[in-house]
Amino acid sequence: MQWINVILQGVLVGGLYAMFAAGLSLIFGVMRLVNIAHGDLIVLAAYIALVVTQTLGIGPLAGLIVVVPVMALIGYALQWFVLNRTLGDDLLPPLLVTFGLSVIIQNGLLTLFTADSVKLQAGAIEVATIRLGEGVYVGVLPLLQFCVAVGVIAGLRWIFYRTPLGRAFRATADDPAIAQLMGLDNRHVFALAMALSLAVVAIAGVFLAVRANFDPSQGPARLIFGFEAVIIGGLGSLWGTLAGGLILGVAQAIGAHLNPGWQILAGHLAFLVVLAVRPQGLFPKVRA
Amino acid sequence: MPEAPLLAVCGLDAFYGDFQALFGISMEIARGEAVAVIGANGAGKSTLLKSIAGLMRSRPDAIAFEDGAIGGMAAYAVAARGIALVPEGRGLFPSLTVEENLLIGGQLGRRGAWTLRRIYELFPVLGERRALASTALSGGQQQMAALGRALMANPKLLLCDEISLGLAPIVVRDIYARLPAILAEGTAIVLVEQDVVQALKAAQRVYCLQEGRVALAGAAKDLTREAIAAAYFGV
């Protein structure tokens, strides 16, 4: 029974990691941009949620109504005014600029909010649990977080494969020059992709902030988790990203259960094993 | 030409870095006419089309379309004005299905005669294969899809870059047989071709490029083989 609980916990946390990863994967897929600031943007979203919930006096989940559009707007502006200028044949400039952005966000948050860790209070839902069977319980909040993660992945897939916007994303990723001939302004398409990515980041950030304490220095670790989930799942596959998040979550949960100090290590080990055995990831997207 | 031309190119230069590919090209295209641009490899034919479509930088006043200067415009803005390019090598999007490739061609929402249904009437094989990945089509079918994708934008000017390239003669004839239906909708066509015979049959007027300059221009029926050969090879 204990192990069932452990694995269940891991699966539910894995949903959060999948949300970290989905935004990262989206951006890389559309414009070959590795966003080093992704983790810090998650933490930024958490702080924006903190400010929103405190000033408006609403719960974190209701706060999503404000935080998601705000982050999407930040994403569009960030891409339009900064990152679009760095894109080109060379992968290095966007890497350096997002690295710089990461430093700026961390220090900006440190100045505004200090290094003290904070947490979003969601109220009674935080401690509510559902009994699934003899000795097997799940928290309502982790379960909700997991369902939202599945919904986000399904929603992204729907956008990607069923809407004109997704068509524009895929076409621009295939060939930016030819996409322009179709009347698509690459800069606008890229900015929309970043807006979508940061909308997902906003959801992930709020759940992160409700789940545990956070502080301005936590971004890079979230980035690593996101990266690992993407690589485990296989580049370009959204369901693979979800699977990658779950594997990472379960590995961490098992590690933590064996020894509390092994939580992070176990996740990294699972990542290294996949990288060694299947470098292309578990569900790589086959490109014709 | 009684009315103002649809497209007027005037003293167009084009560069790849320090290398100059076009030297003061001037040409005019009237509404609804078919014009062939012929020339040897490296004569600058594709560069000319890319410049018109906005994929290459040019002086703002070097290219005028319907009384507006479009020389310095980005490709997406040129497309919105009503110029569609069928790129060399087709350039279909491999991640998109055949139908999605056509739909994205029409994503600007320019109204006109060409709809998904009309494209499938023009090229029935595309309708049969609409759900396949564009990479699953044969070369000729890919060329039809690329042509259909450009038509979906309901352009006033259709630029075709070597649509016969790498295709069997029978397939080329098949595709050229559809051009009258496109012209009938009032669309002007510029055909860049190495296949001179095919181009001369389809077009009313011909420009022959040689090393980035216009070597010969005239009505297709007036040009002698000797004149074309001389302009083509520079002998």
Side-chain angles (χ1 to χ4, degrees):
Chain A
M1 278 313 117
Q2 218 177 9
W3 282 107
I4 294 179
N5 270 324
V6 167
I7 290 172
L8 212 52
Q9 294 305 321
V11 167
L12 298 182
V13 174
L16 184 63
Y17 294 164
M19 280 196 279
F20 293 167
L24 206 57
S25 175
L26 176 88
I27 289 306
F28 183 78
V30 173
M31 59 186 111
R32 296 280 172 271
L33 182 143
V34 177
N35 185 3
I36 300 291
H38 194 76
D40 303 291
L41 287 162
I42 294 170
V43 176
L44 175 68
Y47 275 102
I48 291 177
L50 184 73
V51 172
V52 165
T53 51
Q54 282 177 353
T55 43
L56 300 182
I58 53 176
L61 297 180
L64 281 172
I65 298 168
V66 180
V67 181
V68 169
V70 166
M71 285 303 288
L73 215 61
I74 290 174
Y76 192 97
L78 180 65
Q79 185 68 38
W80 186 270
F81 292 109
V82 182
L83 297 177
N84 272 339
R85 295 163 198 273
T86 69
L87 292 175
D89 295 331
D90 194 352
L91 282 175
L92 201 55
L95 210 60
L96 290 175
V97 169
T98 54
F99 182 74
L101 194 65
S102 158
V103 175
I104 291 169
I105 294 173
Q106 279 181 45
N107 286 284
L109 290 175
L110 207 54
T111 310
L112 284 172
F113 297 98
T114 77
D116 297 345
S117 64
V118 284
K119 187 176 173 305
L120 287 187
Q121 304 299 336
I125 194 174
E126 281 186 49
V127 288
T129 54
I130 301 171
R131 184 171 173 277
L132 289 184
E134 191 66 40
V136 180
Y137 296 91
V138 292
V140 170
L141 199 63
L143 189 64
L144 178 68
Q145 167 188 301
F146 179 78
C147 293
V148 168
V150 173
V152 163
I153 300 283
L156 284 178
R157 263 193 68 91
W158 180 76
I159 290 173
F160 242 70
Y161 294 103
R162 293 278 176 272
T163 67
L165 179 64
R167 214 153 58 210
F169 284 159
R170 284 180 290 145
T172 307
D174 277 348
D175 192 331
I178 306 270
Q180 287 215 39
L181 293 176
M182 308 295 122
L184 294 167
D185 180 355
N186 292 344
R187 297 169 304 168
H188 178 60
V189 173
F190 289 157
L192 287 176
M194 188 56 89
L196 188 59
S197 170
L198 291 207
V200 175
V201 157
I203 300 172
V206 167
F207 276 103
L208 175 77
V210 173
R211 208 174 79 83
N213 288 336
F214 62 95
D215 62 69
S217 68
Q218 275 192 348
R222 309 308 118 183
L223 172 72
I224 301 276
F225 294 160
F227 262 134
E228 291 183 343
V230 172
I231 303 294
I232 291 173
L235 270 177
S237 161
L238 283 165
W239 287 125
T241 298
L242 181 64
L246 299 192
I247 289 169
L248 192 62
V250 170
Q252 287 190 359
I254 291 174
H257 187 68
L258 295 174
N259 180 332
W262 292 354
Q263 181 190 356
I264 307 297
L265 178 67
H268 293 333
L269 285 177
F271 165 69
L272 285 175
V273 167
V274 172
L275 207 56
V277 179
R278 249 182 99 82
Q280 72 274 40
L282 298 177
F283 308 99
K285 180 154 184 196
V286 188
R287 267 245 169 122
Chain B
M1 274 174 271
E3 55 178 327
L6 178 68
L7 179 86
V9 177
C10 184
L12 173 68
D13 299 325
F15 299 85
Y16 294 98
D18 288 336
F19 173 74
Q20 186 164 6
L22 297 180
F23 299 84
I25 296 271
S26 293
M27 69 187 295
E28 288 188 347
I29 314 288
R31 281 173 202 280
E33 77 168 334
V35 172
V37 176
I38 59 175
N41 257 335
K45 308 184 298 293
S46 293
T47 306
L48 172 62
L49 291 198
K50 280 193 208 161
S51 298
I52 297 172
L55 287 178
M56 293 191 64
R57 290 269 153 257
S58 48
R59 250 183 25 250
D61 60 346
I63 307 169
F65 184 69
E66 294 194 304
D67 304 330
I70 61 164
M73 275 189 191
Y76 64 87
V78 173
R81 291 275 185 115
I83 296 180
L85 171 65
V86 181
E88 188 178 1
R90 296 140 205 160
L92 292 177
F93 299 111
S95 303
L96 273 58
T97 64
V98 174
E99 181 152 302
E100 284 178 326
N101 266 286
L102 295 175
L103 286 172
I104 205 159
Q107 67 95 29
L108 278 168
R110 292 173 50 85
R111 296 195 169 277
W114 295 106
T115 58
L116 210 49
R117 198 172 55 82
R118 283 284 319 272
I119 301 291
Y120 289 150
E121 281 170 17
L122 189 69
F123 300 116
V125 67
L126 295 183
E128 292 160 20
R129 313 202 138 197
R130 64 174 78 179
L132 293 182
S134 58
T135 47
L137 298 180
S138 72
Q141 291 162 356
Q142 287 191 17
Q143 192 64 72
M144 292 173 193
L147 203 52
R149 182 181 65 179
L151 286 176
M152 283 292 286
N154 282 299
K156 292 170 189 160
L157 177 62
L158 180 67
L159 309 171
C160 300
D161 198 349
E162 306 232 13
I163 49 179
S164 67
L165 195 72
L167 300 180
I170 185 163
V171 179
V172 175
R173 272 199 298 279
D174 192 25
I175 291 176
Y176 268 88
R178 319 296 166 93
L179 294 186
I182 298 169
L183 288 165
E185 299 296 348
T187 306
I189 304 181
V190 175
L191 294 165
V192 156
E193 269 299 349
Q194 295 210 40
D195 185 340
V196 177
V197 177
Q198 197 62 257
L200 289 180
K201 260 193 280 181
Q204 293 129 32
R205 289 195 304 123
V206 180
Y207 287 89
C208 186
L209 297 195
Q210 189 196 331
E211 289 173 2
R213 295 178 173 86
V214 175
L216 180 71
K221 59 181 190 319
D222 297 340
L223 296 179
T224 63
R225 267 177 181 278
E226 291 70 30
I228 290 172
Y232 203 96
F233 298 111
V235 288

